[in-house]
Amino acid sequence: MSKADAEPLSDFIRDKVAEDVATGKYDGRVVTRFPPEPNGYLHIGHAKAICLDFGIAEETGGVCHLRFDDTNPEKEDVEYVDSIMEDVRWLGFDWGEHLYYASDYFEKMYECAIKLISDGKAYVCELSVDAFKEYRGVPTRPGKLTPGRDRSVEENLDLFGRMRAGEFEDGRYVLRARIDMDSPNLHMRDPALYRIKHAPHHRTGDTWCLYPTYDFAHGLEDSIERVTHSLCTLEFEVHRPLYDWLLEACEVYRPAQTEFARLNLTYTVMSKRKLLELVEGHYVSGWDDPRMPTLCGLRRRGYTADSIRRFCRGVGITKVESLTDISLLEHHIKDELNRTARRVMAVLDPIKLVIENYPEDQVEELEAINNPEDESAGTRAVPFSRELWIERADFREEANRKFHRLTPGREVRLRYAYFVTCTGVVKDDATGEIIEVHCTYDPATRGGDAPDGRRVRGTIHWVCATKGGEADVRLYDRLFSVERPDTVDEGPASATTRDSAGTSGNFKDNLNPDSLTTVRAKVEPAILAMGAGEHCQFERKGYFFSDPKDSREGAPRFNQVVPLRDSWRKRSS
Ligand code: ATP
Ligand code: MG
């Protein structure tokens, strides 16, 4: 168990599970499941569900199943199946032998449908989706009885068999539960159980042209696996009466569904459909673009599994819908990397600094501390010479007293090196642009301290122009420029519309055009020696991660994980 899981957690779901164990409900068993639909990559919201489902199993000595809810062939793919397994493992969870696919239950589900038809609890309906909506009506008024509702059992069985045999085109018939067209809960107004879809499935191939709906399939999946606690997000609360009705009508084992609030993050969209739109429209470089809230994107950005688990613990489990500030996620990775990341020096926006009184051909090695938070990380040698790179923003030709960095006549410390005093600048004759900053150094201040006790207000970082190198660095801002980019309500409808195309809304209008800036940075030799997938802190700048995909030996490419300070607002204004 990692440190992130040191203290026991408590919330209303864990309390209920503990109570059920204590009272011997389900014979003391605890079986949860994480049931992703393999129609996209997992995102940080899924991490919340994973930490809950697998977390409860771990804490109670129970088991958690990984189940692919693959009942919707058109949008599903093995690429997603593989990525989901990789991401769950990466987060640190293990399903052992409990890997399941809803598609393995298609035959059993079909048998349950036959039972419902035989018991007069389901019927074949010829209404189109739109026509049925008319019959179903609105919650405040009773609906109308559908035309096929009184078809005989024999005729229903015959039609349903022919639906399976492939006699009808898509949409010609659906199988509906016969429940209550007057129920105030629209989900109880004869919901669809099966739809005709002539689409090959990534696991069952052409075996089926008939696929169960989410509502029919999900409870049966839980039941077949003898799940005890079926945990899902709040939008399924209104589906619970149907979940219970179907399992009772099928006369099968009944797990209990409990709902919790989903994770929503500021400046983020969190629906696979929208994330897919960003990928397909090339608004991002892929599902693992480091700006994406996907687990593979966050991983590539440099987030650790531990930081995400800590974040999920911090958010907690409640029944109250809320919007979590993305800076909370950033806090957890910053906190971790502050303890673990080695410090190095890189100049992101370079300007040359020339030390007039430093010997022309000399290069010396100065000792730099790798991590002030961790003595065991030791020190390294950093080359220093007459010409250095410093940040353009660390120099001002004119500055007031509050500016503690380089300006003519002012002395500052070069980190781990010497005190230098600015003497002036060299400008491009034609453009007037400053091309060099000049200074003199005090050889007595080697290491960064003056023997006479004199002090400087500012310390700046630098890179040796002779021995340093260059690396590509990606700087990120928020992917969206507004706190709530989701202009489309993702409320209760989302659960039932998961297999309809839906409208995209205009969340893409809220994309931040400046979310990615790539710079060619000047870097100290230790940075060039870094392999792929390593964390570091560029001193005074932020935490960075050498991209696992794009880094090459001797040529790492860096992703900014988080800036040191909350400079987001400053940069985007
Ligand atoms: P999305 O709405 O992003 O497309 P989904 O709910 O359709 O996701 P599923 O594959 O069905 O995706 O999700 C698997 C599990 O993850 C479900 O139990 C779902 O409730 C849970 N889950 C999905 N999104 C969130 C979220 N934002 N916060 C917490 N749990 C979530
Ligand atoms: Mg959903």
Side-chain angles (χ1 to χ4, degrees):
M1 219 188 254
S2 70
K3 261 196 272 169
D5 307 301
E7 291 151 38
L9 281 170
S10 167
D11 52 60
F12 76 99
I13 293 184
R14 287 179 163 87
D15 291 349
K16 183 169 188 299
V17 172
E19 186 189 315
D20 291 346
V21 170
T23 60
K25 196 174 175 184
Y26 316 110
D27 310 317
R29 289 182 310 123
V30 175
V31 181
T32 57
R33 86 288 173 264
F34 173 64
E37 185 184 358
N39 62 349
Y41 283 66
L42 297 182
H43 52 59
I44 181 82
H46 292 115
K48 176 176 177 175
I50 293 169
C51 289
L52 180 68
D53 293 320
F54 282 93
I56 285 180
E58 255 177 31
E59 294 155 27
T60 58
V63 293
C64 178
H65 299 178
L66 175 62
R67 179 208 307 148
F68 289 101
D69 195 3
D70 55 351
T71 55
N72 189 5
E74 286 144 322
K75 294 184 174 175
E76 296 166 5
D77 199 280
V78 284
E79 175 195 347
Y80 300 135
V81 170
D82 294 342
S83 76
I84 288 168
M85 292 201 272
E86 184 185 353
D87 289 348
V88 174
R89 278 202 200 99
W90 175 71
L91 267 186
F93 296 106
D94 183 9
W95 52 90
E97 74 252 42
H98 298 286
L99 175 64
Y100 303 106
Y101 293 86
S103 53
D104 287 344
Y105 312 142
F106 281 169
E107 196 61 51
K108 278 188 190 155
M109 291 175 185
Y110 185 80
E111 284 163 23
C112 287
I114 297 285
K115 173 173 171 56
L116 292 183
I117 296 171
S118 306
D119 292 347
K121 291 176 180 166
Y123 65 96
V124 174
C125 171
E126 65 268 39
L127 292 178
S128 68
V129 173
D130 287 337
F132 176 74
K133 273 190 194 147
E134 289 279 312
Y135 280 79
R136 191 178 56 178
V138 294
T140 46
R141 266 179 283 126
K144 286 187 289 181
L145 296 183
T146 56
R149 223 173 182 260
D150 293 323
R151 228 189 286 282
S152 70
V153 168
E154 289 66 34
E155 200 187 335
N156 278 321
L157 286 173
D158 174 61
L159 277 173
F160 191 53
R162 289 163 61 198
M163 282 165 72
R164 177 177 184 169
E167 267 190 44
F168 309 115
E169 76 276 22
D170 291 6
R172 177 75 181 80
Y173 289 112
V174 297
L175 184 74
R176 296 193 175 283
R178 184 190 271 112
I179 308 181
D180 179 4
M181 289 305 286
D182 296 345
S183 171
N185 181 343
L186 289 187
H187 298 289
M188 297 299 274
R189 294 192 182 177
D190 292 11
L193 305 182
Y194 267 96
R195 295 198 182 91
I196 299 172
K197 252 182 220 169
H198 290 270
H201 186 281
H202 63 101
R203 284 177 60 85
T204 60
D206 291 325
T207 311
W208 295 88
C209 59
L210 197 62
Y211 292 95
T213 58
Y214 174 86
D215 282 320
F216 184 56
H218 204 86
L220 286 175
E221 294 159 21
D222 288 343
S223 175
I224 291 166
E225 292 174 17
R226 298 186 61 78
V227 164
T228 57
H229 298 83
S230 175
L231 313 176
C232 60
T233 36
L234 278 183
E235 69 267 27
F236 292 100
E237 192 165 27
V238 283
H239 296 244
R240 182 161 19 106
L242 178 56
Y243 181 100
D244 291 334
W245 186 95
L246 283 167
L247 293 182
E248 189 177 354
C250 291
E251 296 177 46
V252 292
Y253 164 84
R254 286 173 63 179
Q257 174 181 306
T258 307
E259 309 83 15
F260 62 95
R262 61 192 294 123
L263 175 73
N264 300 299
L265 270 188
T266 55
Y267 300 98
T268 310
V269 295
M270 202 103 80
S271 122
K272 283 182 282 188
R273 179 174 57 70
K274 288 180 182 160
L275 297 175
L276 178 65
E277 270 187 72
L278 295 180
V279 172
E280 289 188 332
H282 302 287
Y283 296 95
V284 293
S285 64
W287 285 99
D288 65 350
D289 186 302
R291 290 166 292 177
M292 290 280 270
T294 49
L295 294 180
C296 56
L298 291 166
R299 176 165 69 234
R300 192 168 164 202
R301 174 85 168 252
Y303 276 84
T304 61
D306 223 39
S307 67
I308 291 175
R309 289 167 63 143
R310 275 172 205 277
F311 165 74
C312 291
R313 284 177 70 95
V315 168
I317 301 293
T318 69
K319 258 193 178 314
V320 186
E321 285 288 4
S322 66
L323 182 65
T324 300
D325 194 323
I326 195 166
S327 59
L328 187 64
L329 180 63
E330 293 160 356
H331 159 79
H332 285 279
I333 188 67
K334 245 191 265 187
D335 188 55
E336 177 177 333
L337 295 180
N338 178 46
R339 283 181 276 113
T340 59
R342 61 200 278 219
R343 274 59 169 170
V344 284
M345 291 195 287
V347 173
L348 302 182
D349 182 15
I351 188 167
K352 180 86 56 85
L353 178 71
V354 178
I355 308 170
E356 291 167 332
N357 60 340
Y358 194 88
E360 291 259 354
D361 297 319
Q362 179 172 314
V363 177
E364 64 182 309
E365 303 225 302
L366 298 166
E367 189 181 35
I369 294 168
N370 286 334
N371 186 351
E373 304 285 322
D374 175 10
E375 225 175 276
S376 72
T379 61
R380 70 185 183 286
V382 190
F384 183 91
S385 64
R386 186 171 192 267
E387 298 200 350
L388 307 172
W389 297 108
I390 60 168
E391 298 285 350
R392 199 169 285 275
D394 282 340
F395 171 78
R396 276 190 207 166
E397 208 173 2
E398 282 167 44
N400 62 21
R401 300 174 57 87
K402 284 192 191 144
F403 185 74
H404 298 315
R405 291 162 281 160
L406 271 184
T407 189
R410 194 159 298 165
E411 185 170 55
V412 301
R413 176 188 293 109
L414 294 177
R415 183 95 160 132
Y416 305 123
Y418 296 97
F419 284 12
V420 292
T421 304
C422 183
T423 53
V425 295
V426 175
K427 290 186 182 177
D428 181 309
D429 284 341
T431 64
E433 192 198 350
I434 297 173
I435 45 180
E436 282 176 8
V437 176
H438 282 226
C439 66
T440 56
Y441 85 121
D442 177 357
T445 56
R446 192 173 197 272
D449 277 309
D452 62 5
R454 113 180 157 265
R455 304 239 224 186
V456 287
R457 307 287 294 269
T459 299
I460 66 177
H461 64 279
W462 49 273
V463 166
C464 173
T466 316
K467 296 281 183 181
E470 292 188 341
D472 282 335
V473 176
R474 299 190 187 106
L475 301 172
Y476 298 110
D477 201 338
R478 314 274 192 225
L479 183 53
F480 292 92
S481 46
V482 297
E483 272 199 358
R484 298 167 188 260
D486 267 307
T487 47
V488 183
D489 179 26
E490 282 283 272
S494 65
T496 47
T497 56
R498 62 191 285 160
D499 53 5
S500 72
T503 52
S504 71
N506 55 0
F507 73 99
K508 285 177 287 184
D509 297 344
N510 296 323
L511 280 163
N512 175 3
D514 301 319
S515 60
L516 167 64
T517 312
T518 302
V519 298
R520 188 89 181 138
K522 305 291 182 185
V523 300
E524 64 164 284
I527 293 179
L528 287 182
M530 283 173 67
E534 282 188 50
H535 289 99
C536 61
Q537 184 198 89
F538 290 170
E539 291 212 29
R540 298 177 63 225
K541 289 285 142 189
Y543 294 101
F544 289 80
F545 186 59
S546 48
D547 193 292
K549 250 187 174 170
D550 297 338
S551 295
R552 298 287 169 268
E553 179 144 12
R557 259 175 158 250
F558 289 90
N559 299 327
Q560 177 191 49
V561 190
V562 269
L564 272 187
R565 275 170 287 273
D566 258 333
S567 57
W568 300 112
R569 241 160 270 276
K570 232 175 26 205
R571 280 211 289 123
S572 49
S573 65

